[in-house]
Structure formats: C-alpha cells, structure tokens
Amino acid sequence: MRDVRDALMTARNSEGKLVRRPLSPHLQVYRWPISMALSILHRVTGCALGVGTLLLTWWLVSAAGPDEAFDRAQWFLGSAVGLLLLFGWSLALIFHFFSGIRHLVWDSGIGFEAPTYNTSGWGVVIATVVCTVLVWVVGLVVW
Amino acid sequence: MSGTPHIDMLRSPLGRARGLGSARAGSHHWWMQRLTAIALVPLTLWFIFSVIHLAGATHQAVIEWLSSPLTMGLMLALIVATFHHLQLGVQVVIEDYVHDERAKLTAVLVVKALCILLALVCIVSVLKIGL
C-alpha cells in the first residue's frame, strides 16, 4: 500500500487484523430515480456540448472566410446529417440550460426536499421537450 | 490492490493524507463554474434566438449581423464564458473517472489546451468578420 487512498480504505477489524474496508455498491445496483438519471444526463450533455463547440467554431471560421466556405458550412448544416447534429445539439443545450438552472437554485440552498427535487426534475424534462420542439417549429418556419 | 493488505511505508496515514491534501483551489474552481454558468443563462438565450433568426441566412446577412458592436460583444462574451465553463466542467469529469495519475493529467491538459485554442480561433473569426 503506497497511496493515501489505499490507506483510507484499510482498517483493523475487532481482532486487530488489517482488512480492506468494504466498498459501497455502485450504479448498477440501484433503481434509477429521476434525480440520478438527470444528474448523469447533465454530465453527458455537458460533454456532448463540448464536442458541439467544434460545430460553432467551424461555422464562425467559415463565416470569416470566403462565400464558398460559408456556403459549404451552411449546406452541411442544412443536410440530413447536419440537421440531425443540430437537433441533438439543441436538445443537449436546452436540457443542460434548464438542468443547470436547477443546479444554481440548489447552490442557493433551495429545493433539496425529495418531493421538490422530483418535481423540479420532471419540470426540467418537460421544459426541455417543449422548448426544443418550439425552437425547431419556429426555426423551420423562419428557414 | 489484491491479496492481504499490508503497509510497507513508515509514514502514518495522516501524514500521507496531509501530503495529498487540498491545494485550497477547490472553491475557486467551484465559484468560476457557477459564475460562468450564471453568465451563460442570458447569453445562451440570446444565442438560441439569434440562431433561429439566422436560419438560412446568406453570408452577407451573417456578416452584417456580426458587425454590430452589440452582437460582437455578446458573441465574444459567449465564447469566453462557454469555453471557460467547458474546460472547468470536463476537468471535473476527467478527474472523477480517470484514476491513473499520468493519464489524468495528460487528459486535463489536452482538454484545456484545446479549449483555449478553439476559443482563440472563435474570437479571431468574430473579430475578422466584425472589424
């Protein structure tokens, strides 16, 4: 044992013998309450949005370039693959937006009671679906 | 990690824990994550509305939109807040799931370098269009 984290996982039992402390069960053992699913989704969408910044960068770079470069980017974003990426991107962004606000409210010390965080969790899901649909309906009408 | 546990070091667990203890930088990381999150609430809303507004826009229309000082300022603020928030968030994810010290440090540094680079490319693009 050479590491502090190992040292913290080791203890003596009632007979004075060195034993490894038991680990708590991990994700696969529990049923999935809404709060757990949303917590993981917040991380997943955050990472996905990180990848999505490549799309934003490409779009800005192409806009700073000649017309052909911009047209190529616009053509790709308007293609089936591009629209699918944009849809996933908007869904992740809107979810992360509402879920993030939920986290900020928690940071102020509000909303930790079980009924409240279950309600706010479903609120995030509903708001995400409604707003994503709204964005796409309005977006496609404008387009 | 397998077999009967034994201690082959002379330092006490407490002494070792102190050696690997907090660098007292955790609260700053936490606070910057929140600060950028708060800034991104209005900026993201503005960005979504702008993207809808620009759906199918010509190159000229996008250039005109981005040339307004207000749009440019908001866009630069969005870029800085987004990439700062991104590298802080991904750092935490990496630190949680990558346990090998060398791989962890490498991954965190690569992500930070990429975020800085992408942010600079975005900023230069916006300035090139608007100025």
Side-chain angles (χ1 to χ4, degrees):
Chain A
M1 181 180 58
R2 299 179 176 281
D3 191 88
V4 174
R5 281 151 291 189
D6 275 349
L8 296 174
M9 291 308 296
T10 316
R12 288 184 193 281
N13 66 8
S14 53
E15 290 157 9
K17 237 179 93 186
L18 270 180
V19 288
R20 223 167 267 287
R21 291 183 194 275
L23 288 168
S24 68
H26 201 46
L27 289 179
Q28 71 277 7
V29 178
Y30 300 103
R31 82 188 159 82
W32 280 61
I34 173 95
S35 48
M36 182 163 126
L38 294 191
S39 171
I40 292 169
L41 260 183
H42 193 69
R43 287 206 150 179
V44 171
T45 51
C47 292
L49 287 166
V51 178
T53 58
L54 289 172
L55 213 60
L56 174 70
T57 309
W58 182 41
W59 187 74
L60 282 174
V61 168
S62 77
D67 281 346
E68 303 85 65
F70 183 78
D71 290 342
R72 212 176 309 132
Q74 286 290 74
W75 171 84
F76 173 75
L77 292 175
S79 72
V81 178
L83 284 174
L84 194 68
L85 281 176
L86 277 181
F87 180 76
W89 192 60
S90 61
L91 191 65
L93 181 65
I94 291 167
F95 173 80
H96 202 82
F97 178 84
F98 284 118
S99 180
I101 289 174
R102 185 164 170 251
H103 274 276
L104 286 174
V105 173
W106 281 338
D107 289 336
S108 69
I110 303 167
F112 284 117
E113 303 74 24
T116 317
Y117 67 65
N118 281 330
T119 311
S120 65
W122 283 111
V124 166
V125 173
I126 293 165
T128 301
V129 173
V130 169
C131 288
T132 307
V133 169
L134 207 65
V135 161
W136 278 85
V137 168
V138 176
L140 289 175
V141 165
V142 171
W143 192 28
Chain B
M1 283 295 284
S2 59
T4 322
H6 64 282
I7 296 175
D8 53 8
M9 287 173 73
L10 288 173
R11 286 177 74 189
S12 70
L14 179 63
R16 269 170 286 159
R18 283 192 176 132
L20 268 190
S22 159
R24 301 191 180 270
S27 59
H28 181 250
H29 184 287
W30 187 91
W31 178 237
M32 288 316 285
Q33 184 92 70
R34 268 61 189 179
L35 215 61
T36 48
I38 294 167
L40 280 168
V41 170
L43 287 172
T44 305
L45 277 180
W46 166 79
F47 182 68
I48 292 175
F49 280 115
S50 304
V51 168
I52 294 175
H53 176 71
L54 285 172
T58 61
H59 193 190
Q60 197 51 43
V62 171
I63 290 173
E64 269 166 35
W65 168 73
L66 213 52
S67 297
S68 133
L70 182 64
T71 312
M72 227 169 109
L74 285 168
M75 201 65 199
L76 291 176
L78 177 85
I79 291 165
V80 171
T82 296
F83 283 104
H84 196 15
H85 188 79
L86 175 62
Q87 58 94 7
L88 289 169
V90 176
Q91 181 190 352
V92 174
V93 174
I94 291 171
E95 285 171 350
D96 278 356
Y97 302 131
V98 181
H99 298 307
D100 177 69
E101 210 54 49
R102 196 173 301 178
K104 184 200 291 180
L105 192 63
T106 309
V108 169
L109 289 181
V110 166
V111 163
K112 294 204 177 223
L114 276 177
C115 283
I116 293 171
L117 202 64
L118 285 174
L120 286 174
V121 170
C122 285
I123 289 169
V124 169
S125 298
V126 170
L127 293 180
K128 193 181 168 203
I129 297 166
L131 292 180

